[in-house]
Amino acid sequence: MMRAMEEMDQENIFDGLSSVVEGCRLPVKMRKGDEWPLAEIISIKDVNGVTYYYVHYVDYNKRLDEWVTEARLDTRKIQYPRKDGQSNAGTGVNTPIKKLGSGTTTIPAVPVPAASSRPSSPVGPPELVNGNAFLAAALNKKMNRKRKAPPPVHTVPNHAEPAPEVPVQVVRTTKSTSLTIPDVPIAAEGDLSEPPSSDRRLTGSMVAHNDDIVTRMKNVEMIELGYHRIRPWYFSPYPQELIHFPCIYICEFCLKYRKSRKCLERHLAKCNVRHPPGNEIYRKQSISFFEIDGRKNKVYAQNLCLLAKLFLDHKTLCYDTDPFLFYVMTVFDDRGFHIVGYFSKEKVSTEDYNVACILTMPPYQRKGYGKLLIEFSYELSKFEGKTGSPEKPLSDLGLLSYRSYWSQTILEILVNLKPVDENERPQITIMEICELTSIKKEDVISTLQNLNLINYYKGQFIISLSKETIDNHMQAMSKRKIRIDSKCLHWTPKDWSKRSK
């Protein structure tokens, strides 16, 4: 009986295949596991009599999009596209990933030649009250009292300019550490990943993502880079004649691309490059950073952007690399300097962005290199004597990395804060945190809110550090085995604004 029902279900599934068109939504079996999430049909093609469907799993990251056969479609719960031509709401294109494999394999190397009123002080046992609502009320009060220029365009949403800084007072107890902060208006936390669409701009030789039918579909099946074969996550505009090959072979030193392994071997016989172009400005043990001028090394910069676009969805590529600097992180062995990741940076940024695009290559992810890239970008900002912030939108993984870095960096300062005199509480201001870390004020404030550390107590705003928070922080810091050593950075900031004139 059960077998008969299964056969009937299977017949029903295949009977509905003729009605599947682009834009339909239906359950699709994922490559890994036994899940059948709802997916949208993006494109349909026939190859040697076999029909393939390109699907996007709704509420999953686009890096899981793939071509599937009819055997993985369940047409019993099909949803047809609306007749008005508009797509159903909630595509989930930019939602966080739920499950993801590494997507990389190791192969032999090629031979190298909200607001509320302010409450009264608590009565009875001391109790901490979450201060975000009161901070929002303070913001509204200040904005109604004194309105000057409109807020900056490229800032974290809803964050206004704070009032003049007052020293933070620190209260240490056996159960928690409380830091009193000045009466600074802080709005509710904004979404760091998506600024208003009108604010999007050129970013690190890439621009805001244009979600059309072509760029929604992966066009490269596999790349080979050094020891690794990597399955790309997103679309990248490699030459049309290359994308039909099962794999694109990329020189890991100059980043030039070839259509076959034989072509790559012939290229390596002639290529005498063993490191990125530009100046090596940092080296400690096996880790180095190279600074590359997008104008002087245009071909390398463009090839780097093509490679990075395979793993960055929120940007599309443009070839004007002149206004940008690229900082490539490498690891060194007897074969040369192998690319681990990079970030790009505008030579002149009116909004004090210290990163435009940032990427850790998939084989090196989850090893601490992402935080090292972020830490290096802020080390450059310290040398420049500025505070900086990454340009938005951030990818889902980039947003997680930045929030983790901001949290650990700010907590490291608060935990180690010492009083000036024995009988006094330790004091610090938000601006002093910014000066010590080079993290922009809006990011410091949003991080404190995201950690839920801002509270209201006896008429003052305080930062409360519980023993659990401190213990979790110490445990996280113990896992960061690699850190940037400022003594190993040999770099002098340049005034690009004068050079451009």
Side-chain angles (χ1 to χ4, degrees):
M1 183 69 177
M2 289 292 295
R3 185 168 183 176
M5 292 179 64
E6 290 177 357
E7 290 178 354
M8 288 179 62
D9 287 342
Q10 197 69 14
E11 290 177 1
N12 290 335
I13 291 175
F14 287 108
D15 284 345
L17 287 173
S18 60
S19 62
V20 175
V21 295
E22 295 177 2
C24 285
R25 292 186 173 193
L26 70 169
V28 178
K29 188 179 185 300
M30 300 190 78
R31 179 188 301 170
K32 297 182 179 180
D34 296 324
E35 294 184 68
W36 290 75
L38 185 68
E40 180 181 349
I41 304 296
I42 305 299
S43 182
I44 303 174
K45 68 178 181 180
D46 288 311
V47 179
N48 298 326
V50 179
T51 304
Y52 291 88
Y53 304 84
Y54 192 85
V55 299
H56 164 66
Y57 298 101
V58 179
D59 295 331
Y60 285 74
N61 191 281
K62 282 178 61 180
R63 68 175 66 97
L64 294 180
D65 294 4
E66 59 180 333
W67 288 100
V68 301
T69 58
E70 56 189 23
R72 292 168 60 183
L73 304 181
D74 183 354
T75 57
R76 292 171 297 182
K77 299 179 181 179
I78 190 168
Q79 302 175 13
Y80 294 98
R82 289 167 51 175
K83 293 184 178 180
D84 56 10
Q86 298 186 14
S87 60
N88 296 313
T91 60
V93 167
N94 293 317
T95 52
I97 184 172
K98 292 190 177 181
K99 284 192 177 181
L100 175 67
S102 63
T104 64
T105 55
T106 302
I107 61 171
V110 175
V112 178
S116 64
S117 60
R118 178 171 174 170
S120 59
S121 299
V123 180
E127 183 180 2
L128 298 176
V129 182
N130 187 281
N132 285 351
F134 308 132
L135 293 167
L139 171 65
N140 293 333
K141 182 177 179 181
K142 181 195 173 193
M143 296 300 290
N144 291 331
R145 181 177 69 251
K146 189 174 183 180
R147 293 183 179 271
K148 291 185 177 180
V153 175
H154 296 284
T155 59
V156 177
N158 297 328
H159 284 171
E161 285 294 323
E165 290 281 325
V166 178
V168 176
Q169 295 182 356
V170 184
V171 180
R172 297 185 183 276
T173 65
T174 56
K175 293 185 179 180
S176 66
T177 301
S178 299
L179 298 84
T180 306
I181 65 173
D183 189 7
V184 178
I186 306 175
E189 180 184 0
D191 181 5
L192 297 175
S193 61
E194 288 289 341
S197 58
S198 60
D199 296 343
R200 292 177 178 169
R201 49 200 292 282
L202 288 174
T203 58
S205 77
M206 296 186 184
V207 295
H209 176 49
N210 183 18
D211 193 16
D212 55 38
I213 189 63
V214 175
T215 59
R216 287 188 71 181
M217 297 169 54
K218 301 174 190 177
N219 60 333
V220 178
E221 183 176 345
M222 192 77 68
I223 64 168
E224 182 175 312
L225 183 70
Y227 286 102
H228 305 284
R229 276 203 168 190
I230 312 171
R231 190 179 299 276
W233 296 350
Y234 307 111
F235 169 89
S236 183
Y238 275 95
Q240 193 70 21
E241 59 269 20
L242 287 181
I243 63 176
H244 299 294
F245 290 95
C247 182
I248 295 179
Y249 297 81
I250 302 174
C251 174
E252 61 178 327
F253 301 114
C254 70
L255 302 186
K256 290 183 179 178
Y257 40 85
R258 294 293 183 265
K259 65 181 180 180
S260 69
R261 192 177 180 85
K262 190 68 176 178
C263 291
L264 179 64
E265 291 175 355
R266 288 199 297 265
H267 165 79
L268 290 175
K270 302 175 184 177
C271 181
N272 57 2
V273 176
R274 290 298 174 266
H275 60 78
N279 300 321
E280 184 182 11
I281 61 175
Y282 179 92
R283 181 188 292 190
K284 185 175 182 181
Q285 297 175 349
S286 63
I287 295 178
S288 295
F289 279 85
F290 291 83
E291 181 183 58
I292 295 136
D293 189 329
R295 182 181 65 84
K296 293 181 180 179
N297 304 104
K298 191 183 294 288
V299 174
Y300 181 91
Q302 291 176 349
N303 288 337
L304 177 61
C305 293
L306 276 173
L307 175 62
K309 182 62 192 72
L310 292 169
F311 309 100
L312 293 174
D313 176 48
H314 59 294
K315 304 287 176 64
T316 54
L317 189 129
C318 92
Y319 286 95
D320 183 16
T321 62
D322 290 14
F324 300 94
L325 297 169
F326 298 82
Y327 295 89
V328 177
M329 180 169 65
T330 64
V331 290
F332 175 78
D333 62 15
D334 56 356
R335 297 178 62 246
F337 295 80
H338 309 275
I339 181 171
V340 171
Y342 91 104
F343 66 88
S344 58
K345 176 180 179 180
E346 284 182 297
K347 294 175 180 176
V348 180
S349 175
T350 56
E351 285 81 18
D352 293 330
Y353 292 132
N354 63 357
V355 165
C357 292
I358 185 168
L359 172 71
T360 304
M361 297 301 295
Y364 298 96
Q365 291 179 359
R366 304 183 66 84
K367 297 181 180 180
Y369 291 115
K371 279 198 180 71
L372 202 66
L373 279 168
I374 296 173
E375 186 177 2
F376 188 79
S377 70
Y378 280 106
E379 197 64 40
L380 296 183
S381 295
K382 291 177 184 178
F383 271 62
E384 293 175 315
K386 300 177 180 178
T387 59
S389 181
E391 190 167 336
K392 313 333 183 269
L394 292 168
S395 66
D396 56 343
L397 298 180
L399 181 60
L400 290 174
S401 297
Y402 265 96
R403 280 182 169 162
S404 177
Y405 173 80
W406 290 333
S407 300
Q408 292 180 7
T409 303
I410 294 171
L411 284 173
E412 191 172 22
I413 291 175
L414 300 180
V415 168
N416 297 319
L417 198 61
K418 303 295 182 183
V420 178
D421 297 324
E422 292 184 2
N423 297 328
E424 291 186 1
R425 299 171 181 175
Q427 295 186 353
I428 194 170
T429 65
I430 298 293
M431 285 306 300
E432 287 173 341
I433 295 177
C434 296
E435 291 170 3
L436 290 171
T437 62
S438 282
I439 300 175
K440 208 169 182 66
K441 185 184 299 184
E442 290 85 350
D443 297 331
V444 172
I445 292 171
S446 68
T447 300
L448 294 173
Q449 290 181 309
N450 191 53
L451 292 171
N452 200 28
L453 297 182
I454 299 178
N455 296 278
Y456 187 77
Y457 177 69
K458 289 187 177 181
Q460 291 180 319
F461 296 109
I462 66 170
I463 297 173
S464 178
L465 298 178
S466 66
K467 186 177 184 302
E468 182 182 0
T469 300
I470 296 175
D471 290 343
N472 290 338
H473 167 70
M474 300 303 292
Q475 184 179 0
M477 293 303 293
S478 66
K479 297 178 181 179
R480 287 180 65 177
K481 303 299 183 183
I482 49 177
R483 300 290 300 272
I484 293 296
D485 186 352
S486 59
K487 297 178 182 177
C488 299
L489 175 58
H490 304 284
W491 180 73
T492 302
K494 298 177 183 178
D495 190 349
W496 292 99
S497 61
K498 293 181 180 179
R499 291 168 178 255
S500 62
K501 294 178 183 178

